Amino acid sequence: MAQVLEFKLPDLGEGLTEAEIVRWLVEVGDVVAVDQPVVEVETAKAMVDVPCPYGGVVTARFGAEGTELPVGAPLLTVAVGEPADGRPAGEASPAESAESEGARGGTPAAGGSGNVLVGYGTAEAPARRRRVRPAETTPATPAVPTAPSAPSTPVANGQLRTEQPTAAQARTRGAVDGPVPVISPLVRRLARQNGLDLREMTGSGPEGLILRADVEYALRAAAAQGRPGTTAGEPRTRTDRAGAGAPAPAAGTSGVTRVPLKGIRGAVADKLSRSRTEIPDATCWVDADATELMRTRAAMQHSSGGNPRTPTAGGPKISVIALLARICTAALARFPELNSSVDTEAREIVRYGDVHLGFAAQTDRGLVVPVVRDAHTRNAESLTAEFARLTEAARTGTLTPAELTGGTFTLNNYGVFGVDGSTPIINHPEAAMLGVGRIVPRPWVHEGELAVRQVVQLSLTFDHRVCDGGTAGGFLRYVADCVEQPAVLLRTL
């Protein structure tokens, strides 16, 4: 016998609580295999293809493209197994077709994969299950439910509930954590469009099943009492979120556009606001002569790791940010106070032995900070390759949540935007960020004479709770010394 299983939006990890449906990869009626991607969602960190842990026929989808769903909200339902009458799973009989397209069930089959995303397992399945019964033969015209025998009282969200429910209604209403007793997706859509919370309704169908007539009856009752149907439990669209709690525009203004703070933009806003609120930061900066660093890089470009006297053009290219990252890891080894974070609840400074180096990357979707794991163990070639891989993944939106979290220090190369200096905001909960401006020819006093040199401005923003200005200044001065004289690194290699 076919079993209809409900697949909910899984926990995508790293504290993510919601995701936006970008594109459905399956239609109702499609046959899906175990672990087949069924929907593409956008979280605050990345684009993710969500695979379904069940194999069968898709019977319903919940949420249109552009809808934001919380973790645990239903995504779709899948009919698994073979019905007793021999029809393929998900194919409804004529008596069932009117109400059973979007059937939702309870207990996942034991054959489910459990691996919704790589690195993040699915939660245990709910214990209860509801069988989809064939609809009873009724007249073609939907019957309007009779008035309840007990007096009805309105609840806060505009629904009507009887004060003396029947035993079946009490059982249905008590299962708050179970599936909503609705089969038809048309009923769900009608309730969602009008802001009705189906969990607060009592159906007139078998075992408390909510029918379309019940929803229409509740809408008429709410309209008669002048109450808008608005709930907090249903997912909201962009338009709903943009207008909620918004101040009225000033008189005489025109052409006002509201852009929701969501996705990556919303995550950046939240993190930077938290950083400014919690971290007492300070910034120091210094100009450095990067001429020797650029010459060293040029020499590396002509060497493939073999004999430097026989330069080759086919060797791996070394990026400037990789050299700066190598300098950063050396500086953090000398000043470990900056490779840390603050545990405000325990009132402790947490220092990290490993350096997981984040770097700011601007993409079409917004600013992201991929993390190079164990940067302190990598050489210039390895760092160059990893920076290139993560940058490409950031541009294509294929970074995983694990590649966007866990950093202990951030390198921000804002010089690629053609600017010289900045006061960067610390990437919470880290304790410091090194900013690098553009490298440009400038007049510079070199060996007692005025010369044109390649000059760069370096800035360090640090959490004043983890160290004082002497430590921050020492770190920045060491970085500048390595930029001006790369041979300084040889003392610690």
Side-chain angles (χ1 to χ4, degrees):
M1 183 175 185
Q3 182 182 11
V4 179
L5 305 180
E6 180 183 81
F7 174 44
K8 299 180 180 180
L9 179 65
D11 182 2
L12 304 178
E14 305 297 343
L16 300 177
T17 59
E18 57 190 12
E20 178 184 337
I21 297 176
V22 176
R23 181 168 59 98
W24 282 103
L25 305 179
V26 295
E27 300 287 342
V28 174
D30 288 355
V31 178
V32 296
V34 173
D35 288 343
Q36 175 181 333
V38 293
V39 64
E40 180 181 340
V41 301
E42 179 181 16
T43 70
K45 298 181 181 296
M47 302 278 283
V48 180
D49 287 344
V50 181
C52 180
Y54 316 128
V57 178
V58 177
T59 58
R61 302 184 317 191
F62 305 103
E65 294 179 355
T67 301
E68 193 170 84
L69 298 176
V71 170
L75 271 180
L76 50 78
T77 54
V78 179
V80 179
E82 185 74 17
D85 56 6
R87 290 189 305 273
E91 181 179 333
S93 64
E96 295 172 329
S97 58
E99 295 289 339
S100 64
E101 287 186 4
R104 297 170 60 186
T107 307
S113 72
N115 297 321
V116 173
L117 288 177
V118 175
Y120 304 103
T122 55
E124 290 295 328
R128 57 174 66 90
R129 182 181 76 180
R130 180 172 58 83
R131 296 173 56 186
V132 179
R133 296 186 177 183
E136 298 179 0
T137 305
T138 57
T141 303
V144 178
T146 59
S149 56
S152 301
T153 56
V155 295
N157 63 354
Q159 309 302 318
L160 293 178
R161 303 173 72 178
T162 61
E163 292 184 356
Q164 297 177 354
T166 63
Q169 292 172 340
R171 287 194 301 271
T172 303
R173 196 180 313 169
V176 177
D177 296 332
V180 179
V182 179
I183 292 180
S184 173
L186 299 178
V187 174
R188 293 182 180 279
R189 185 182 303 113
L190 180 63
R192 182 167 59 250
Q193 290 175 348
N194 290 276
L196 294 181
D197 189 349
L198 294 174
R199 293 185 181 275
E200 296 293 337
M201 293 187 63
T202 300
S204 60
E207 297 187 356
L209 185 67
I210 298 175
L211 306 178
R212 180 172 182 173
D214 299 329
V215 176
E216 293 174 343
Y217 180 86
L219 290 176
R220 288 194 300 269
Q225 298 184 19
R227 298 192 305 270
T230 303
T231 62
E234 293 292 332
R236 297 181 294 171
T237 60
R238 288 189 179 95
T239 305
D240 298 331
R241 291 191 301 270
T253 59
S254 61
V256 177
T257 302
R258 293 186 176 274
V259 180
L261 276 176
K262 56 180 296 185
I264 290 183
R265 184 74 266 155
V268 170
D270 293 341
K271 175 161 281 194
L272 297 185
S273 298
R274 184 177 182 183
S275 178
R276 280 297 195 202
T277 302
E278 294 185 7
I279 299 178
D281 58 347
T283 302
C284 53
W285 58 89
V286 66
D287 291 339
D289 181 3
T291 305
E292 294 302 322
L293 180 68
M294 302 306 291
R295 288 176 180 173
T296 301
R297 175 175 178 261
M300 291 180 177
Q301 304 289 48
H302 292 83
S303 173
S304 60
N307 189 347
R309 296 183 180 180
T310 58
T312 61
K317 303 298 182 181
I318 305 298
S319 63
V320 175
I321 192 173
L323 295 178
L324 293 171
R326 186 66 188 86
I327 293 173
C328 273
T329 58
L332 289 173
R334 295 172 64 94
F335 300 93
E337 297 91 338
L338 295 171
N339 192 48
S340 62
S341 63
V342 176
D343 187 340
T344 54
E345 293 185 359
R347 294 187 60 83
E348 294 176 344
I349 297 175
V350 183
R351 292 182 182 174
Y352 304 104
D354 299 333
V355 178
H356 302 311
L357 187 66
F359 67 98
Q362 192 69 38
T363 69
D364 294 337
R365 298 172 57 242
L367 178 68
V368 295
V369 184
V371 177
V372 178
R373 302 285 172 182
D374 300 316
H376 60 293
T377 64
R378 299 176 181 265
N379 57 26
E381 289 185 0
S382 175
L383 288 169
T384 297
E386 187 66 0
F387 277 122
R389 184 188 71 81
L390 292 173
T391 300
E392 181 60 26
R395 289 173 179 169
T396 58
T398 57
L399 287 169
T400 65
E403 291 172 330
L404 287 164
T405 53
T408 62
F409 187 92
T410 297
L411 178 61
N412 187 356
N413 183 19
Y414 45 74
V416 297
F417 302 118
V419 298
D420 297 326
S422 174
T423 56
I425 300 177
I426 296 175
N427 186 24
H428 186 279
E430 298 170 12
M433 175 185 290
L434 178 68
V436 182
R438 60 176 180 164
I439 302 176
V440 293
R442 287 182 182 172
W444 191 266
V445 177
H446 177 65
E447 295 181 351
E449 296 182 359
L450 188 63
V452 177
R453 306 285 287 182
Q454 300 291 322
V455 179
V456 62
Q457 185 177 99
L458 306 171
S459 61
L460 176 70
T461 298
F462 64 99
D463 187 341
H464 228 312
R465 295 174 299 178
V466 303
C467 69
D468 296 325
T471 301
F475 173 91
L476 188 60
R477 187 64 257 172
Y478 178 80
V479 171
D481 290 343
C482 292
V483 168
E484 294 182 341
Q485 300 178 26
V488 173
L489 276 176
L490 296 176
R491 295 176 59 92
T492 57
L493 292 180

